[in-house]
Amino acid sequence: MTKYFEVIRRDGPARLGKLLMEETIQTPAIISKDDYLAAGSVFCFCSVGEALAATPTSTGNKKLVILPHVPSALHAKPTIDLPNQELDGPKAMVVHPFCDDLMDRADVYVMGSAGSIRNPRDLVGAVVGVRKRIPVDSALYVPALATPANLAFLVYLGIDLIDKTRVVVDAYYGRYHTRDGIKALSEFDELPCKCQYCLRLAKEGEDAKILAGHNILKLEEELAVAREMVRKETIREYVERQVRVTSDLTAGLRLIDQEHVYIEGRTPQHRRSTLYANTAESLNRVEITRFAERVLNRYTAPKSDVLLLLPCSARKPYSTSRSHRLFAMALGSRRKYLHELILTSPLALVPRELEEVYPAANYDVPVTGHWDLEERAWLLRCLDAYLEKNRYARIVAHLEGELEQIMKDLGIDAVFTGGGTNDDALAHLSDAVSEVCQGAARLEDMRLGRYSALADYYFGSGAGDLLLAGKVKIKGREIQNEKGRPVAMITPNGTIALSSDGARRLEPLGKYIVTIGDFLPKGSLLAPGVVDADEQIRPGDEVIIRGEKAFGVGRAKMSGWEMIKSTRGVAVDLKQIEKR
Ligand SMILES: [Zn+2]
């Protein structure tokens, strides 16, 4: 049980937490010798017994105690197994990155030999490996590795504690650190920083102590930036641009993206921030692949004879853009006889009903009109799978330029209207649609269809049918049962908020359920109260709370697997809870 560390917020693998000592340390943090007592290497003692005896057993909760450790090279297994030691206060243990020993419970784990990590493969392998072996609600301290250039990436990987060792040692080698990387101080004609240390360096010449002052300041500044990025849920965007400073860091990002289980299990359902797809790595983001996967697997298109393919718009949701309003006017009443699918990069396919869902309503991408090979292949793969599952008798493609050509190359049998938004283009669209919609069946209630699509998207196939069963009616953004009581509503950020009635309707699906013990929670549901949780729950998901004495709904603050394994922290923010 972790008594001294708690994760407060998450943005992917990055997290904000607090180390609860006499003075609370907000993580990610730079820690120093003032914050811990380290028993040191066992090899500094005559025997293991002596090392264990020398370990301070209690500091109250003033300082972190790092138990004695057995030093070993980066890829080597330590030669001695040390027995577990119980402590009164916050406890830290050294964990060796590349051996698979199971670890005893501690509040903080210190990565051994971290300072000798020299390549991105070892860095990513070490962090992912260690994170798998230590409790999710413990802090990870990686000594002697952080620099202003790599700090944000370290935080993104899931590292909570770093130190100044590297930048201070580097100062004695004349290495000048900025977030853009490391350079010899002697190489500068003009220093790019105007801090008090740099002003002194310019005046007094090279001095290791003064240079260390600058290096530490840059590390502290970068830490503040990284923390703010996590708080604002923009750490991924920041890391995508920050890793550009060295090829090793860029390689690191590509390697961590290949650790799909690690990243996906920690990626929230929804972010408040805009998803900027500005780099090649953006295409691999979990948010993108998750959206596409759900469109193809969870979502089923409404029964429609006609499919209309449309381009995306800069403004989101698309319906609010000028171009899509013009399309809607051109379609007029024929809109009820066709289904609209928007083609876009990097999300590939956005059915009209899902345009308010994250990230479809919150992404931005550099628009050039050019589709590169990877984007093209991704779009084709998704469209192929989509048309395999959802069949239409006729397709109209109101697309222009490369996008139209891609559809033609794919051999899509469609009426191509040439795209565009001028009067002629819209007349083409209108004419083409009038023709193909002749004899087409009218779609069922499109507003209900939207709810059904959203429910399937968030809770899995079949959820829409359960949620909309019986006589339901739509009022604004709310769906009500026959008695006029709310079942669910669409929130402004495109998610579904369930009422208890809605949760009861979805319960038979057996998904997104958090099972709790024999009590009635209030306000927040804490992780220790969770008995079981659906593993696919991610932060931000609407979840059903079920216990012997309580039933209700809430919004997940951590992933389902994390709720089961955590001993501290808020698992779910409760919204409605009833005694039963
Ligand atoms: Zn400076």
Short mmCIF file of all heavy atoms in Angstrom, two decimals, residues 105-140:
data_model
loop_
_atom_site.label_atom_id
_atom_site.label_comp_id
_atom_site.label_asym_id
_atom_site.label_seq_id
_atom_site.Cartn_x
_atom_site.Cartn_y
_atom_site.Cartn_z
N ARG A 105 6.97 -3.88 -2.23
CA ARG A 105 6.22 -2.63 -2.29
C ARG A 105 7.04 -1.45 -1.74
O ARG A 105 7.60 -1.53 -0.66
CB ARG A 105 4.95 -2.84 -1.46
CG ARG A 105 3.93 -1.77 -1.58
CD ARG A 105 2.85 -2.12 -2.55
NE ARG A 105 2.39 -0.86 -3.12
CZ ARG A 105 1.41 -0.72 -3.98
NH1 ARG A 105 0.79 -1.76 -4.44
NH2 ARG A 105 1.08 0.44 -4.43
N ALA A 106 7.09 -0.38 -2.49
CA ALA A 106 7.73 0.85 -2.02
C ALA A 106 6.93 2.03 -2.54
O ALA A 106 6.06 1.87 -3.40
CB ALA A 106 9.17 0.92 -2.51
N ASP A 107 7.22 3.21 -2.02
CA ASP A 107 6.52 4.41 -2.49
C ASP A 107 7.20 4.98 -3.73
O ASP A 107 6.57 5.54 -4.61
CB ASP A 107 6.49 5.47 -1.40
CG ASP A 107 5.88 4.92 -0.12
OD1 ASP A 107 4.66 4.70 -0.13
OD2 ASP A 107 6.62 4.67 0.85
N VAL A 108 8.53 4.84 -3.75
CA VAL A 108 9.32 5.37 -4.86
C VAL A 108 10.30 4.29 -5.31
O VAL A 108 10.85 3.57 -4.49
CB VAL A 108 10.12 6.63 -4.40
CG1 VAL A 108 11.03 7.13 -5.50
CG2 VAL A 108 9.17 7.74 -3.95
N TYR A 109 10.50 4.17 -6.60
CA TYR A 109 11.51 3.27 -7.14
C TYR A 109 12.57 4.10 -7.86
O TYR A 109 12.23 5.02 -8.61
CB TYR A 109 10.88 2.24 -8.10
CG TYR A 109 9.97 1.29 -7.36
CD1 TYR A 109 8.65 1.64 -7.11
CD2 TYR A 109 10.45 0.09 -6.86
CE1 TYR A 109 7.81 0.80 -6.39
CE2 TYR A 109 9.61 -0.76 -6.14
CZ TYR A 109 8.30 -0.41 -5.91
OH TYR A 109 7.48 -1.24 -5.20
N VAL A 110 13.81 3.77 -7.59
CA VAL A 110 14.92 4.50 -8.18
C VAL A 110 15.51 3.62 -9.27
O VAL A 110 15.88 2.47 -9.01
CB VAL A 110 16.01 4.78 -7.12
CG1 VAL A 110 17.11 5.65 -7.72
CG2 VAL A 110 15.41 5.41 -5.88
N MET A 111 15.55 4.12 -10.50
CA MET A 111 16.08 3.29 -11.57
C MET A 111 17.61 3.20 -11.46
O MET A 111 18.30 4.22 -11.52
CB MET A 111 15.67 3.84 -12.93
CG MET A 111 15.97 2.83 -14.05
SD MET A 111 15.74 3.53 -15.68
CE MET A 111 13.98 3.50 -15.79
N GLY A 112 18.11 1.98 -11.30
CA GLY A 112 19.55 1.77 -11.17
C GLY A 112 20.25 2.02 -12.50
O GLY A 112 19.68 1.79 -13.57
N SER A 113 21.48 2.48 -12.44
CA SER A 113 22.32 2.70 -13.63
C SER A 113 21.68 3.61 -14.68
O SER A 113 22.08 3.57 -15.85
CB SER A 113 22.70 1.37 -14.31
OG SER A 113 23.27 0.51 -13.39
N ALA A 114 20.69 4.40 -14.29
CA ALA A 114 19.99 5.23 -15.27
C ALA A 114 20.95 6.19 -15.97
O ALA A 114 20.82 6.47 -17.17
CB ALA A 114 18.86 6.00 -14.61
N GLY A 115 21.94 6.66 -15.19
CA GLY A 115 22.89 7.63 -15.76
C GLY A 115 23.71 7.06 -16.91
O GLY A 115 24.29 7.81 -17.70
N SER A 116 23.75 5.72 -17.01
CA SER A 116 24.55 5.16 -18.10
C SER A 116 23.70 4.79 -19.32
O SER A 116 24.19 4.20 -20.27
CB SER A 116 25.36 3.95 -17.61
OG SER A 116 24.49 3.00 -17.04
N ILE A 117 22.42 5.15 -19.30
CA ILE A 117 21.59 4.92 -20.49
C ILE A 117 22.05 5.88 -21.58
O ILE A 117 22.09 7.09 -21.37
CB ILE A 117 20.09 5.14 -20.16
CG1 ILE A 117 19.59 4.03 -19.24
CG2 ILE A 117 19.26 5.19 -21.44
CD1 ILE A 117 18.16 4.21 -18.77
N ARG A 118 22.38 5.35 -22.73
CA ARG A 118 22.95 6.19 -23.78
C ARG A 118 22.16 6.18 -25.08
O ARG A 118 22.43 6.95 -25.98
CB ARG A 118 24.40 5.76 -24.09
CG ARG A 118 25.40 6.18 -23.03
CD ARG A 118 25.63 7.70 -23.05
NE ARG A 118 26.40 8.11 -21.87
CZ ARG A 118 25.85 8.57 -20.75
NH1 ARG A 118 24.55 8.69 -20.65
NH2 ARG A 118 26.60 8.92 -19.72
N ASN A 119 21.20 5.24 -25.23
CA ASN A 119 20.48 5.23 -26.50
C ASN A 119 18.97 5.13 -26.25
O ASN A 119 18.52 4.68 -25.20
CB ASN A 119 21.00 4.12 -27.42
CG ASN A 119 20.69 2.75 -26.88
OD1 ASN A 119 19.52 2.38 -26.75
ND2 ASN A 119 21.72 2.00 -26.53
N PRO A 120 18.17 5.58 -27.22
CA PRO A 120 16.73 5.66 -27.02
C PRO A 120 16.08 4.30 -26.78
O PRO A 120 15.11 4.19 -26.02
CB PRO A 120 16.22 6.28 -28.32
CG PRO A 120 17.32 6.15 -29.31
CD PRO A 120 18.59 6.12 -28.53
N ARG A 121 16.63 3.24 -27.39
CA ARG A 121 16.03 1.92 -27.21
C ARG A 121 16.14 1.48 -25.75
O ARG A 121 15.19 0.96 -25.16
CB ARG A 121 16.74 0.92 -28.13
CG ARG A 121 16.00 -0.38 -28.32
CD ARG A 121 16.61 -1.18 -29.45
NE ARG A 121 16.36 -0.58 -30.76
CZ ARG A 121 15.27 -0.77 -31.48
NH1 ARG A 121 14.31 -1.55 -31.01
NH2 ARG A 121 15.11 -0.19 -32.64
N ASP A 122 17.32 1.73 -25.14
CA ASP A 122 17.50 1.38 -23.73
C ASP A 122 16.61 2.24 -22.84
O ASP A 122 16.03 1.74 -21.87
CB ASP A 122 18.97 1.59 -23.32
CG ASP A 122 19.83 0.39 -23.70
OD1 ASP A 122 19.26 -0.65 -24.09
OD2 ASP A 122 21.07 0.49 -23.63
N LEU A 123 16.48 3.51 -23.18
CA LEU A 123 15.67 4.41 -22.34
C LEU A 123 14.21 3.95 -22.32
O LEU A 123 13.61 3.76 -21.26
CB LEU A 123 15.77 5.85 -22.87
CG LEU A 123 14.84 6.86 -22.19
CD1 LEU A 123 15.14 6.98 -20.71
CD2 LEU A 123 14.94 8.23 -22.86
N VAL A 124 13.65 3.74 -23.52
CA VAL A 124 12.24 3.34 -23.61
C VAL A 124 12.06 1.94 -23.00
O VAL A 124 11.13 1.71 -22.23
CB VAL A 124 11.78 3.40 -25.08
CG1 VAL A 124 10.41 2.74 -25.24
CG2 VAL A 124 11.73 4.85 -25.56
N GLY A 125 12.98 1.04 -23.32
CA GLY A 125 12.90 -0.33 -22.78
C GLY A 125 12.96 -0.33 -21.27
O GLY A 125 12.22 -1.04 -20.60
N ALA A 126 13.86 0.50 -20.72
CA ALA A 126 14.03 0.54 -19.26
C ALA A 126 12.78 1.08 -18.58
O ALA A 126 12.27 0.48 -17.64
CB ALA A 126 15.24 1.41 -18.91
N VAL A 127 12.25 2.19 -19.08
CA VAL A 127 11.08 2.80 -18.40
C VAL A 127 9.86 1.88 -18.52
O VAL A 127 9.17 1.63 -17.53
CB VAL A 127 10.78 4.20 -18.97
CG1 VAL A 127 9.51 4.75 -18.33
CG2 VAL A 127 11.94 5.15 -18.72
N VAL A 128 9.60 1.36 -19.72
CA VAL A 128 8.42 0.51 -19.90
C VAL A 128 8.58 -0.76 -19.05
O VAL A 128 7.64 -1.19 -18.37
CB VAL A 128 8.21 0.17 -21.39
CG1 VAL A 128 7.10 -0.86 -21.56
CG2 VAL A 128 7.88 1.44 -22.17
N GLY A 129 9.78 -1.33 -19.06
CA GLY A 129 10.05 -2.56 -18.30
C GLY A 129 9.85 -2.34 -16.80
O GLY A 129 9.19 -3.12 -16.12
N VAL A 130 10.42 -1.25 -16.30
CA VAL A 130 10.33 -0.99 -14.87
C VAL A 130 8.88 -0.67 -14.49
O VAL A 130 8.37 -1.17 -13.49
CB VAL A 130 11.27 0.18 -14.47
CG1 VAL A 130 10.93 0.70 -13.08
CG2 VAL A 130 12.72 -0.28 -14.53
N ARG A 131 8.21 0.13 -15.30
CA ARG A 131 6.82 0.49 -15.00
C ARG A 131 5.94 -0.76 -14.91
O ARG A 131 5.00 -0.81 -14.13
CB ARG A 131 6.28 1.45 -16.06
CG ARG A 131 6.53 2.89 -15.73
CD ARG A 131 5.37 3.47 -14.91
NE ARG A 131 5.75 4.72 -14.28
CZ ARG A 131 5.70 4.94 -12.98
NH1 ARG A 131 5.31 4.01 -12.16
NH2 ARG A 131 6.04 6.10 -12.48
N LYS A 132 6.24 -1.76 -15.72
CA LYS A 132 5.45 -2.99 -15.68
C LYS A 132 5.66 -3.74 -14.38
O LYS A 132 4.80 -4.47 -13.92
CB LYS A 132 5.85 -3.91 -16.84
CG LYS A 132 5.13 -3.58 -18.14
CD LYS A 132 5.48 -4.60 -19.22
CE LYS A 132 5.12 -4.05 -20.58
NZ LYS A 132 5.94 -4.61 -21.66
N ARG A 133 6.85 -3.59 -13.79
CA ARG A 133 7.19 -4.38 -12.60
C ARG A 133 6.87 -3.69 -11.29
O ARG A 133 6.85 -4.33 -10.24
CB ARG A 133 8.67 -4.75 -12.64
CG ARG A 133 8.97 -5.86 -13.63
CD ARG A 133 10.43 -5.84 -14.04
NE ARG A 133 11.31 -5.90 -12.90
CZ ARG A 133 12.50 -5.32 -12.85
NH1 ARG A 133 12.93 -4.62 -13.88
NH2 ARG A 133 13.25 -5.42 -11.79
N ILE A 134 6.66 -2.39 -11.32
CA ILE A 134 6.41 -1.68 -10.06
C ILE A 134 4.93 -1.27 -10.00
O ILE A 134 4.28 -1.17 -11.04
CB ILE A 134 7.33 -0.45 -9.91
CG1 ILE A 134 7.03 0.61 -10.99
CG2 ILE A 134 8.79 -0.87 -9.96
CD1 ILE A 134 7.82 1.90 -10.83
N PRO A 135 4.41 -1.07 -8.79
CA PRO A 135 2.99 -0.69 -8.69
C PRO A 135 2.71 0.62 -9.43
O PRO A 135 3.55 1.51 -9.46
CB PRO A 135 2.78 -0.49 -7.19
CG PRO A 135 3.90 -1.19 -6.52
CD PRO A 135 5.05 -1.16 -7.47
N VAL A 136 1.53 0.69 -10.04
CA VAL A 136 1.19 1.85 -10.86
C VAL A 136 1.11 3.12 -10.01
O VAL A 136 1.38 4.21 -10.49
CB VAL A 136 -0.12 1.58 -11.64
CG1 VAL A 136 -1.29 1.34 -10.70
CG2 VAL A 136 -0.44 2.72 -12.58
N ASP A 137 0.77 2.95 -8.72
CA ASP A 137 0.64 4.14 -7.89
C ASP A 137 1.90 4.42 -7.07
O ASP A 137 1.84 4.92 -5.97
CB ASP A 137 -0.59 4.02 -6.97
CG ASP A 137 -0.60 2.72 -6.19
OD1 ASP A 137 0.25 1.85 -6.46
OD2 ASP A 137 -1.45 2.57 -5.30
N SER A 138 3.05 4.06 -7.64
CA SER A 138 4.31 4.44 -7.00
C SER A 138 5.03 5.41 -7.94
O SER A 138 4.73 5.48 -9.13
CB SER A 138 5.18 3.20 -6.78
OG SER A 138 5.44 2.57 -8.02
N ALA A 139 5.97 6.16 -7.37
CA ALA A 139 6.70 7.14 -8.17
C ALA A 139 7.97 6.52 -8.73
O ALA A 139 8.56 5.64 -8.11
CB ALA A 139 7.03 8.36 -7.32
N LEU A 140 8.37 6.97 -9.90
CA LEU A 140 9.61 6.49 -10.51
C LEU A 140 10.62 7.63 -10.56
O LEU A 140 10.35 8.69 -11.12
CB LEU A 140 9.32 5.96 -11.92
CG LEU A 140 10.53 5.44 -12.71
CD1 LEU A 140 11.22 4.30 -11.97
CD2 LEU A 140 10.09 4.97 -14.10
#
